[in-house]
Amino acid sequence: MAASLVYARLPLRAASTSASRRYALSARRIQSRTLFSWLKSNPKASGKKEQAPILSQDDLFHPFSKSPFPAVRARGEAIQSLAPCPVCSSSHDHLHGHGSQPKAVKFECPDCGWPTHCSEEHWAADEEHKKYCSRLREVNEDDHDLRSGRRLREFELPGKLDSEAAISFANWDVFWYTRGFPSMDTERSRRHASKLLTYPLTIGSVLHQHSGLTLSNQRVTPEGSRSLAALRTTLHVPPGAPENEEAAADKPQMRVFILGARAESSLPPHVWEQLCMLFPAALFHLYFIGPQVSLPKPPAKQAPPPSAKPTSPDASSSDAAASASTASEEPSTSEPAVEEVEHEEEKPLYLPNVYEPPTPAPITRLKRTRSSLEKYGVPAYTVPYTAQLTITGMQANYIDVHHNFEETFDPYTDCFFLFSPGFGFPSANSTSEVTGEPLLGIASPTEWGPVMPLLLASKCPIFVTGFSPADVERDVQSLSTAPEVAGEFDWVVTPGPNAFGSEKWEVADFDPRVMVKANWGVWGIRGKTREVRERSSWF
Amino acid sequence: MVDPYISRKEVNTSYRPKNNLMSPGLQRARLPFRARNAITGLTLAGFVTGVWAYSISAVKQDDFSDIDEEARALAKANSPGTGTGAQTEEKSS
């Protein structure tokens, strides 16, 4: 008995020592456990050292000029050069013929840390400021929290779910729970995570079969349910079939065209991969088309350190700026687009949100990124990120590349997403000959005017988001006035709030009173189907 | 190669920091269902209580206090007239 035990022990020990040798070779830190060492306490494998955060969680509020981060200080300076003092401008309205401009903001409100007024007297005199002061303070603390150096669990994204998992798209919290994200314990975590994920999740929540937009809550029209059902035959499997990668073998590739893409084209691909993981049985090709799409750095430039590498969650958070075309409450200034640039030695610390940023910042070049200039005729790249996801970016107006796709549009596989296109916003550079007023974006020949009839002719659903209730309202009203769009579309998704909009307020640099939430609302249209009916009687 | 995704175990422990407690994220995820679950729970509990109460009341002992008077009256009526006759009748049957 004892002898057999001894013999039994020997091969075990041999196995364990060889195993331990293997472990020692591969990871010296992890010690092996032999069969008889379970009484000893498990030596902790020393993981990567967690660096102490620069700012602790109760030290997040800093006025912009006193912030420990240069990017935040640069933003404060940008605001001071751009924003007018609200008290000066409102008092000037009462005076006539003054000739002097409202003074630029210089005084930083001690409660929220933003430069909001020109002087302390005007700050004290302003009644309106306290209405949004707490919101500004929140944004201030969020900015510092992102850079505080703590471990950002909100940006640790989960992998694939098993094929039986049911994801719910009712709201963010239920989605995060059913999808397997870590618990978002604080409102701040929710804001960070929602801002990162709003673009892929807006697309996913509209297209998924468990979407919160249904016929019964009247967000989807009967015509819309036909369009969505067509798309879902490509995205999902017949009921009862297992939803896994094997089911993708006989399916065509789903194409999502994101037109007018700005910051979403620079969102790191691993965040777009989350969209693909919602549909385990589908293959995706995302097209980012727009004049402000970010192209990857050219391959020759190896020398400068790739500080834009999206390896750390910090980089991805600063990359993932919401592109909100904010509108000023007073119809004075032009429409800006938000782009936040990371700290690089050649670039400025902070680019303020202006309508036309000089050139979009380049994104990281991945291993398989290739140029698609020859294929599409415009500066473009393609990166096959995973087996399920291919991303193409084209830095051009859509009308320049439409000829590549016009014969192959299929309402079963293609759809269009336009994030905050500004249909109803007066165009900055085209005016109507008839009335002399600026044309709306949807009618303007330089913006969406020629594009919308082409999209409607393809009969593929077009989903549009807006950054505020007023913006959605404006865009929807503009549809009824646009020349070739007015009677030519069917509603797919009626206008309303988007459950997967960003929870974070984006503050405009030209006026801290202007705040928007990216992708607040969503709606969808499709080119009108005119059914052919047989004449069945004489009358 | 470091796993780019977060592990399921870490996710599950983040929702249940201690065994009985729920993280704020989990509580928020349950919010849309609280009212419906409460009503369903009360309905079920009410049904169970109803069945139990009925069963208890169905098997409790019968209360004959209302016919006790009658029985005594009948016994009195029988016993003075045919007291001995009744006994002989019983013995033969």
Side-chain angles (χ1 to χ4, degrees):
Chain A
M1 212 33 152
S4 67
L5 273 178
V6 167
Y7 289 139
R9 205 188 293 183
L10 282 177
L12 274 171
R13 193 179 298 150
S16 64
T17 46
S18 65
S20 64
R21 243 181 280 132
R22 259 206 314 275
Y23 276 109
L25 285 172
S26 61
R28 281 169 199 280
R29 298 168 295 197
I30 303 174
Q31 298 184 24
S32 68
R33 289 160 66 82
T34 58
L35 182 64
F36 300 102
S37 68
W38 56 272
L39 289 171
K40 289 194 223 141
S41 59
N42 190 10
K44 276 202 183 39
S46 62
K48 62 173 161 66
K49 267 194 285 275
E50 300 227 353
Q51 291 170 333
I54 306 171
L55 288 183
S56 74
Q57 283 297 299
D58 47 8
D59 186 31
L60 289 178
F61 171 67
H62 295 270
F64 273 27
S65 51
K66 297 191 192 46
S67 164
F69 305 112
V72 180
R73 290 198 295 268
R75 186 173 188 190
E77 284 157 27
I79 297 176
Q80 287 185 6
S81 66
L82 287 173
C85 172
V87 177
C88 291
S89 27
S90 64
S91 65
H92 277 216
D93 286 340
H94 297 300
L95 305 171
H96 302 290
H98 42 80
S100 64
Q101 296 291 340
K103 294 201 274 278
V105 296
K106 242 199 301 288
F107 175 72
E108 286 182 351
C109 167
D111 297 321
C112 58
W114 287 73
T116 47
H117 293 87
C118 63
S119 58
E120 192 165 351
E121 300 84 43
H122 278 189
W123 170 71
D126 194 1
E127 302 288 321
E128 303 286 311
H129 181 71
K130 56 173 152 343
K131 294 185 189 162
Y132 52 89
C133 186
S134 55
R135 237 187 242 174
L136 284 176
R137 190 191 172 113
E138 226 174 58
V139 176
N140 185 335
E141 289 180 354
D142 285 350
D143 272 351
H144 285 100
D145 182 52
L146 276 179
R147 298 180 172 87
S148 66
R150 69 177 173 95
R151 179 178 168 194
L152 293 160
R153 304 197 72 154
E154 304 89 342
F155 299 148
E156 288 170 17
L157 308 173
K160 291 202 205 325
L161 275 181
D162 60 10
S163 63
E164 299 292 324
I167 310 176
S168 167
F169 291 91
N171 57 39
W172 276 116
D173 302 292
V174 191
F175 167 74
W176 281 323
Y177 181 63
T178 50
R179 173 69 187 89
F181 277 81
S183 171
M184 308 286 166
D185 287 330
T186 58
E187 290 291 324
R188 185 157 290 132
S189 307
R190 290 185 77 243
R191 287 196 290 267
H192 291 328
S194 70
K195 177 175 170 174
L196 178 74
L197 293 166
T198 178
Y199 288 98
L201 256 300
T202 301
I203 300 179
S205 70
V206 169
L207 297 179
H208 201 274
Q209 60 184 353
H210 297 149
S211 159
L213 311 170
T214 58
L215 272 171
S216 45
N217 61 10
Q218 275 122 33
R219 286 303 300 275
V220 171
T221 59
E223 280 296 322
S225 66
R226 294 174 66 192
S227 277
L228 289 172
L231 289 175
R232 287 167 189 167
T233 57
T234 313
L235 290 167
H236 291 287
V237 292
E243 195 152 358
N244 48 24
E245 282 90 26
E246 285 93 39
D250 59 348
K251 283 190 191 296
Q253 196 180 44
M254 179 75 196
R255 299 195 296 182
V256 180
F257 294 90
I258 300 170
L259 307 190
R262 289 158 294 192
E264 52 268 28
S265 62
S266 61
L267 198 59
H270 68 269
V271 184
W272 285 110
E273 204 192 351
Q274 290 293 314
L275 165 65
C276 302
M277 290 194 206
L278 301 176
F279 303 95
L283 306 168
F284 279 88
H285 195 154
L286 299 178
Y287 292 87
F288 295 108
I289 305 175
Q292 312 254 323
V293 164
S294 307
L295 295 177
K297 297 189 185 51
K301 232 205 294 189
Q302 298 288 343
S307 51
K309 226 190 203 64
T311 47
S312 69
D314 293 325
S316 73
S317 68
S318 48
D319 256 336
S323 81
S325 35
T326 60
S328 55
E329 301 297 318
E330 303 97 40
S332 53
T333 51
S334 55
E335 177 186 314
V338 174
E339 269 207 271
E340 284 194 33
V341 179
E342 296 174 284
H343 176 58
E344 273 187 317
E345 43 276 16
E346 302 105 1
K347 301 276 164 55
L349 282 177
Y350 179 76
L351 274 181
N353 351 9
V354 290
Y355 182 47
E356 298 279 357
T359 24
I363 53 179
T364 325
R365 188 171 201 88
L366 299 173
K367 188 170 141 204
R368 295 212 161 80
T369 307
R370 59 176 191 264
S371 162
S372 306
L373 179 59
E374 301 80 23
K375 183 161 187 206
Y376 300 112
V378 293
Y381 74 94
T382 303
V383 51
Y385 187 66
T386 60
Q388 221 186 347
L389 174 62
T390 308
I391 300 179
T392 296
M394 292 180 231
Q395 194 178 71
N397 283 314
Y398 178 70
I399 26 177
D400 300 331
V401 296
H402 173 70
H403 63 91
N404 292 309
F405 304 111
E406 62 184 329
E407 268 136 43
T408 55
F409 281 129
D410 178 6
Y412 279 76
T413 57
D414 303 333
C415 63
F416 296 95
F417 271 85
L418 281 67
F419 291 109
S420 304
F423 282 159
F425 202 81
S427 157
N429 38 22
S430 51
T431 51
S432 126
E433 297 99 24
V434 176
T435 58
E437 280 172 8
L439 284 170
L440 298 179
I442 198 174
S444 152
T446 51
E447 295 180 18
W448 297 105
V451 171
M452 282 308 286
L454 298 174
L455 301 186
L456 291 174
S458 72
K459 301 285 191 284
C460 299
I462 306 163
F463 297 102
V464 181
T465 65
F467 54 77
S468 72
D471 184 54
V472 171
E473 179 80 29
R474 222 171 22 211
D475 286 353
V476 170
Q477 301 282 8
S478 74
L479 284 178
S480 53
T481 61
E484 278 172 46
V485 173
E488 298 288 322
F489 66 90
D490 280 329
W491 285 101
V492 170
V493 172
T494 53
N498 175 15
F500 291 89
S502 165
E503 306 268 322
K504 218 189 224 196
W505 289 103
E506 307 295 329
V507 181
D509 285 337
F510 60 87
D511 193 345
R513 294 174 292 167
V514 175
M515 289 184 257
V516 297
K517 281 183 168 169
N519 297 337
W520 176 87
V522 69
W523 49 275
I525 57 175
R526 183 197 71 195
K528 203 174 186 65
T529 43
R530 293 183 164 88
E531 309 259 347
V532 175
R533 288 179 310 200
E534 259 189 70
R535 191 201 291 257
S536 57
S537 69
W538 287 72
F539 311 105
Chain B
M1 166 69 183
V2 175
D3 188 13
Y5 306 122
I6 194 171
S7 73
R8 279 238 66 127
K9 187 153 165 288
E10 229 182 299
V11 168
N12 291 337
T13 48
S14 76
Y15 281 106
R16 295 262 174 194
K18 286 211 186 70
N19 243 338
N20 295 358
L21 300 178
M22 286 191 260
S23 72
L26 183 51
Q27 283 166 4
R28 254 182 258 120
R30 288 161 56 112
L31 259 184
F33 307 105
R34 266 175 61 174
R36 250 178 291 171
N37 284 354
I39 294 173
T40 311
L42 285 174
T43 311
L44 286 174
F47 175 72
V48 166
T49 313
V51 167
W52 170 81
Y54 172 75
S55 313
I56 295 293
S57 79
V59 301
K60 87 169 172 288
Q61 297 299 317
D62 285 332
D63 183 17
F64 295 118
S65 58
D66 53 337
I67 59 171
D68 274 344
E69 290 290 323
E70 257 185 70
R72 257 182 252 126
L74 256 178
K76 268 209 202 80
N78 283 341
S79 57
T82 55
T84 43
Q87 282 184 2
T88 47
E89 264 198 59
E90 277 185 44
K91 275 204 190 130
S92 59
S93 65

